[in-house]
Amino acid sequence: MLSMIGLVGGLGLLIFLTMRGMNLLVAAPLCAVFLAVLSGIPLFPQLVAEGEANLVGNYMAGFSGFVASWFLMFLLGSIFGKVMEDTGAADSVSKWVVERLGMKQAVLAVVAACAILTYGGVSLFVVAFSVYPLALSLFKQADLPRRFIPGALGFGSVTFTMTSAGSPEIQNWIPIKYLNTSPYAGWEVSLIVAVFMIVFGFWWLQRMIKKAVANGERFVSRAGDPVVVERELPNPVLGLIPLLVVLVISFIYHDSLKQSALIIALLGGIVATWALNRRHLKNVWESASNGTLGALIAIANTAAVVGFGSVAKVSDAFTSAVEAFTHIPGSPLIGAAIAISVIAGMTGSASGGQSIALPLIAPGYLDAGVNPEALHRVVAISSGALDSLPHNGYVVTTIRGICGESHKDAYAAVGALTVIVPVIGVIIAIVLFSLGVGI
């Protein structure tokens, strides 16, 4: 009983502290201590025999293990995004989308710009930083409430693009290691689910904004608002080519190199961006250095909550929960979806949730004859649902750090679009796979 209180209470405390603005690198270890004390987990490795569970050992094993496995992907993804940003390639693509859709479709333009950049392999954090000034300008000109900008950015970045078949984002690549699949696993169902998310999510976003406007909400300018700096930008085609390079290289090498293909793909994207747009980049090494710092922040925030999850998974409550999840009557895909969603929610990270849950559930499901393609797609989509609870690193950074909003004002839209919409998408995917679609 105390272990369950520690598990649920630790997660609740982590969400509370995050919403109060505490840094994840501080909040996650504190909550891990709370969980460990109530679960009876020894605090230090010196207090147990070698190899036995303890707070410090398990937390740092989870933290360092995630960094060791995914640092190069985070690093190259961040540098690629930074080079795209500094050359103006990302802005060029975004502006091209805006010009084609027009000012009357301001919200759609923001969502589309995020989607194109994300599916092209640009880091989620970099996409938010890159598109935010344009989104702010569009919302200002359309006189729309700015508190919906985080929702628009999140909807375009972490829903139908992040977990779809073919996406170079790591949330679509982690299952490959455990299921021996490809990034295109279950693409037929993935396409149907993505279309649903686009249509339903955009309708819901528009409805929320229209309701707010009808209640008298308008755009309110603030001192220090960033502006879109007018500068010479590369041709949009030269901005799109590096995104295509990432997708093509990952497609060519995914069978032979699995998740390591993403390293080559992102490196190819960096080289292509620099080669095609180098006259717009003043200092390539400074850009790479800034990208490195961005990668360190992003992976540290994710690893911090993975560390919390690594402590959680040695608690009695966690073991009981996973046992219950993996033995839910009916389709094994339902159990997998629930397990991944809940663990991703606990860790506040889609990639962290997959890294913790898949080693535990994949062998048993595969031995039971579950189709690995279907399992891959259900795992990917479900990981992008409850991961977007308030303590998620991307959510915190986008709402507070980039957009300057509060969780109180902005999270309702973010939660609706990045939690509820993907949950419905998971349900649709499970139904379709159960009917034999794409298998």
Side-chain angles (χ1 to χ4, degrees), residues 396-411:
V396 173
T397 301
T398 301
I399 291 178
R400 295 183 178 274
I402 298 175
C403 300
E405 302 292 334
S406 68
H407 273 64
K408 179 181 177 181
D409 292 334
Y411 185 73

Side-chain angles (χ1 to χ4, degrees), residues 2 9 28 41 58 101 111 122 175 211 221 277 280 319 325 389 396 436:
L2 279 179
I41 300 172
N58 284 83
L101 293 176
V111 172
V122 179
K211 183 178 180 180
S221 297
N277 305 290
H280 297 278
T319 302
F325 296 149
L389 293 176
V396 173

Side-chain angles (χ1 to χ4, degrees), residues 382-402:
S382 60
S383 74
L386 297 186
D387 76 306
S388 298
L389 293 176
H391 63 296
N392 171 268
Y394 170 83
V395 171
V396 173
T397 301
T398 301
I399 291 178
R400 295 183 178 274
I402 298 175

Side-chain angles (χ1 to χ4, degrees), residues 54-373:
N54 64 90
L55 169 67
V56 173
N58 284 83
Y59 186 90
M60 292 313 301
F63 188 104
S64 60
F66 185 82
V67 173
S69 296
W70 297 102
F71 176 69
L72 286 179
M73 286 73 163
F74 271 81
L75 175 65
L76 293 174
S78 183
I79 292 176
F80 174 50
K82 193 61 180 174
V83 173
M84 285 282 291
E85 178 185 353
D86 289 351
T87 58
D91 286 344
S92 179
V93 172
S94 299
K95 284 192 172 183
W96 176 78
V97 173
V98 170
E99 290 170 358
R100 292 299 178 277
L101 293 176
M103 188 57 62
K104 292 183 179 180
Q105 297 294 332
V107 179
L108 178 59
V110 173
V111 172
C114 290
I116 291 173
L117 293 174
T118 302
Y119 201 80
V122 179
S123 166
L124 304 174
F125 291 90
V126 173
V127 170
F129 275 109
S130 177
V131 178
Y132 173 63
L134 290 170
L136 191 68
S137 176
L138 287 169
F139 271 60
K140 182 177 182 178
Q141 293 179 60
D143 197 21
L144 302 176
R146 60 190 297 159
R147 68 184 179 94
F148 290 100
I149 293 178
L153 295 176
F155 176 57
S157 301
V158 301
T159 56
F160 58 91
T161 52
M162 183 181 78
T163 59
S164 290
S167 172
E169 301 295 338
I170 63 171
Q171 291 79 5
N172 183 47
W173 283 71
I174 291 177
I176 297 172
K177 176 180 178 180
Y178 303 98
L179 303 177
N180 196 31
T181 48
S182 83
Y184 301 91
W187 69 267
E188 301 94 336
V189 168
S190 177
L191 180 60
I192 295 171
V193 172
V195 170
F196 161 78
M197 287 189 186
I198 293 170
V199 175
F200 178 68
F202 185 71
W203 169 82
W204 198 357
L205 176 58
Q206 288 280 61
R207 186 173 182 272
M208 287 187 287
I209 293 176
K210 287 180 179 178
K211 183 178 180 180
V213 170
N215 289 334
E217 291 190 50
R218 296 290 184 270
F219 184 91
V220 179
S221 297
R222 298 173 186 163
D225 276 345
V227 296
V228 179
V229 179
E230 293 297 330
R231 61 165 174 160
E232 183 185 4
L233 296 175
N235 188 293
V237 174
L238 299 182
L240 285 169
I241 289 177
L243 305 181
L244 295 175
V245 167
V246 173
L247 293 175
V248 170
I249 292 179
S250 64
F251 175 79
I252 293 174
Y253 289 102
H254 73 264
D255 281 337
S256 56
L257 296 179
K258 303 302 179 183
Q259 67 268 26
S260 294
L262 190 55
I263 296 176
I264 298 177
L266 291 170
L267 185 60
I270 294 170
V271 173
T273 306
W274 181 82
L276 295 172
N277 305 290
R278 60 184 180 277
R279 72 184 184 89
H280 297 278
L281 185 61
K282 295 180 180 179
N283 191 326
V284 65
W285 298 116
E286 180 181 356
S287 183
S289 177
N290 291 335
T292 300
L293 292 176
L296 289 174
I297 293 172
I299 198 169
N301 282 331
T302 303
V305 289
V306 170
F308 171 83
S310 295
V311 176
K313 76 176 185 179
V314 298
S315 68
D316 293 337
F318 185 91
T319 302
S320 299
V322 171
E323 182 71 15
F325 296 149
T326 55
H327 289 84
I328 294 175
S331 170
L333 295 179
I334 296 176
I338 294 175
I340 294 292
S341 295
V342 172
I343 297 172
M346 288 171 48
T347 61
S349 165
S351 52
Q354 288 188 25
S355 297
I356 292 172
L358 278 171
L360 298 175
I361 67 173
Y365 281 132
L366 293 179
D367 289 344
V370 178
N371 184 286
E373 300 261 325

